[in-house]
């Protein structure tokens, strides 16, 4: 826009006092700008719009490749590149040239062949060549759970609820005897629509159907209802008969998160990370030091050796 404003200023000065000698611009350029200025006044009632640069319209924009060339490239991409054999681009290009020669089609250059190949989304290329697990990291990902940007899960609160466990990164000791009690486990139920923690259960026992029953019991106690859909991972505790019977009786739909796709649980997994970084890691006895390099941990800083009150 700065360039357009400069042109308008020069043209208006020239119209008032038509002397080319006052400008360090070729007279032909000034006359061209004046012509466009007048055309803008007639067409848009403003000479400013007539002087806006049209650089993006420069060049020959007519496709130079024929439909036969494009179709042949797509065929080679699909049959000889996007498959489990994982041929390289040069091998695919050789096959393309052979096919073109047989059909009497002028082949495109290797550079053009590469350009058209890279127009295929990277996710699709990796998916067909290396499989869905390798392509998973290239899927669209929402880096933050923002109420305006991130699509909501479900259409109302209590419709979709996530449940999962995590072992807290802290060693606890008895306040009376000083005995090390170990690391506790916490189970959360989180609403996927509001991102709110609906209930939690803290225990020293490893995840089991008991933890599931207790956190659901706390959920019902607080909210006087059951969720419509419960999202769980592939843990054995979520496959127990007691758990399935409880959900069946209360007409709750159980949904399994896909294996090897942790982002499907981002609603609750993000909560685990925030819990540790903002709370657990600020308490005495946290196990951050043992995660970095356990060989460097001395008895003075070992969370298992810490005494209550230190």
């Amino acid at each position: 826009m700065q360039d357009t404003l400069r042109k308008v200023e020069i043209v208006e000065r020239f119209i008032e006092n038509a002397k080319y000698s006052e400008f360090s611009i070729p007279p032909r350029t000034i006359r061209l700008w004046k012509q466009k200025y007048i055309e803008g006044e007639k067409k848009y009632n403003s000479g400013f719009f007539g002087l806006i640069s049209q650089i993006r319209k420069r060049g020959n924009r007519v496709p130079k490749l024929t439909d036969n060339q494009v179709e042949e490239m797509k065929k080679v991409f699909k049959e000889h590149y996007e498959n489990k054999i994982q041929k390289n681009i040069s091998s695919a290009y050789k096959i393309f040239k052979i096919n073109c020669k047989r059909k009497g089609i002028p082949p495109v250059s290797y550079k053009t062949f590469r350009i058209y190949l890279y127009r295929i989304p990277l996710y699709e290329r990796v998916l067909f060549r290396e499989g869905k697990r390798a392509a998973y990291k290239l899927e669209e990902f929402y880096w933050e759970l923002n109420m305006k940007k991130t699509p909501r899960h479900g259409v109302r609160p209590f419709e979709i609820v996530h449940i999962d466990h995590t072992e807290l990164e802290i060693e606890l000791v008895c306040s009376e005897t000083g005995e090390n009690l170990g690391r506790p486990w916490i189970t959360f139920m989180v609403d996927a629509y509001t991102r709110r923690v609906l209930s939690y259960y803290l225990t020293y026992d490893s995840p089991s159907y008991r933890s599931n029953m207790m956190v659901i019991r706390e959920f019902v106690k607080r909210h006087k209802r059951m969720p419509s859909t419960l999202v769980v991972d592939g843990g054995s505790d979520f496959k127990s008969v007691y758990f399935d019977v409880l959900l069946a009786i209360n007409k709750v739909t159980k949904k399994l998160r896909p294996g090897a796709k942790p982002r499907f649980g981002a609603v609750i997994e993000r909560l685990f990370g925030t819990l540790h970084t903002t709370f657990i890691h600020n308490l005495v006895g946290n196990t951050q030091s043992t995660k970095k390099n356990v060989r460097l941990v001395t008895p003075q800083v070992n969370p298992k050796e810490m005494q209550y009150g230190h």
Side-chain angles (χ1 to χ4, degrees):
M1 288 302 171
Q2 293 291 338
D3 183 59
T4 305
L5 291 173
R6 184 178 67 89
K7 292 178 182 178
V8 171
E9 181 182 357
I10 292 174
V11 171
E12 289 179 348
R13 284 173 54 194
F14 179 77
I15 292 175
E16 292 177 2
N17 185 14
K19 291 184 179 180
Y20 295 108
S21 58
E22 295 184 5
F23 307 98
S24 59
I25 301 173
R28 183 176 180 180
T29 301
I30 297 178
R31 289 196 298 270
L32 176 63
W33 289 352
K34 179 182 177 182
Q35 179 185 349
K36 291 185 177 181
Y37 182 89
I38 295 173
E39 290 176 356
E41 288 284 355
K42 294 179 180 179
K43 189 174 182 180
Y44 305 108
N45 199 28
S46 173
F48 179 88
F49 292 105
L51 291 172
I52 295 177
S53 298
Q54 303 293 331
I55 297 177
R56 62 179 181 175
K57 295 183 179 180
R58 291 179 181 175
N60 182 7
R61 299 179 179 274
V62 179
K64 297 181 180 179
L65 301 184
T66 64
D67 293 339
N68 292 334
Q69 290 174 324
V70 175
E71 289 299 323
E72 196 62 36
M73 281 193 292
K74 290 180 179 179
K75 183 179 179 181
V76 172
F77 294 157
K78 185 175 181 180
E79 296 180 359
H80 299 282
Y81 185 80
E82 296 178 343
N83 53 45
K84 299 177 182 178
I85 300 177
Q86 300 187 29
K87 292 181 180 179
N88 54 36
I89 301 177
S90 59
S91 298
Y93 180 69
K94 291 177 183 177
I95 297 174
F96 168 74
K97 289 180 68 176
I98 293 173
N99 293 346
C100 288
K101 186 176 181 180
R102 290 175 179 173
K103 298 180 181 180
I105 301 173
V108 301
S109 66
Y110 180 67
K111 181 179 179 180
T112 303
F113 186 83
R114 287 176 62 94
I115 291 174
Y116 269 77
L117 173 62
Y118 286 129
R119 288 182 179 179
I120 302 174
L122 180 59
Y123 170 77
E124 294 183 11
R125 281 184 272 145
V126 176
L127 176 65
F128 291 118
R129 289 170 63 84
E130 303 177 34
K132 60 182 181 180
R133 289 200 176 188
Y136 173 60
K137 61 184 178 182
L138 301 173
E139 287 182 355
E140 183 180 6
F141 179 61
Y142 297 96
W143 293 99
E144 58 180 348
L145 296 177
N146 186 292
M147 296 303 249
K148 294 182 179 180
K149 298 179 182 179
T150 309
R152 294 179 181 271
H153 300 192
V155 296
R156 59 178 173 78
F158 298 107
E159 180 188 12
I160 300 176
V161 175
H162 289 247
I163 181 173
D164 204 357
H165 324 272
T166 190
E167 188 176 23
L168 298 180
E169 297 174 357
I170 189 171
E171 296 280 346
L172 300 182
V173 297
C174 178
S175 60
E176 297 182 357
T177 64
E179 180 185 359
N180 187 298
L181 303 176
R183 294 171 59 178
W185 286 82
I186 192 167
T187 304
F188 280 123
M189 289 185 70
V190 180
D191 184 73
Y193 185 81
T194 61
R195 322 293 187 193
R196 179 184 175 185
V197 177
L198 300 175
S199 64
Y200 66 91
Y201 177 66
L202 195 64
T203 180
Y204 285 102
D205 297 330
S206 299
S208 66
Y209 74 92
R210 297 182 185 86
S211 301
N212 299 336
M213 297 295 190
M214 291 302 295
V215 75
I216 292 176
R217 180 177 181 272
E218 183 65 20
F219 175 90
V220 174
K221 182 180 178 181
R222 287 188 177 192
H223 306 287
K224 313 300 181 184
R225 58 167 300 160
M226 288 286 284
S228 300
T229 301
L230 200 59
V231 181
V232 301
D233 60 17
S236 58
D237 54 298
F238 295 117
K239 299 177 182 178
S240 70
V241 176
Y242 298 102
F243 186 69
D244 288 341
V245 169
L246 174 66
L247 299 186
I249 292 175
N250 291 278
K251 298 181 180 179
V252 178
T253 303
K254 184 175 77 170
K255 294 287 187 180
L256 287 175
R257 281 157 43 185
K261 290 195 174 185
R263 291 178 195 157
F264 275 80
V267 173
I268 196 166
E269 297 291 348
R270 179 65 266 171
L271 175 63
F272 291 153
T274 303
L275 172 66
H276 282 104
T277 56
T278 61
F279 181 62
I280 300 299
H281 290 173
N282 296 315
L283 301 178
V284 176
N286 71 78
T287 59
Q288 290 185 87
S289 58
T290 60
K291 292 175 61 180
K292 298 175 182 177
N293 193 336
V294 69
R295 294 191 176 187
L296 301 180
V297 178
T298 61
Q300 290 78 12
V301 296
N302 191 336
K304 288 183 176 293
E305 304 294 333
M306 289 186 179
Q307 299 296 320
Y308 179 76
H310 288 190

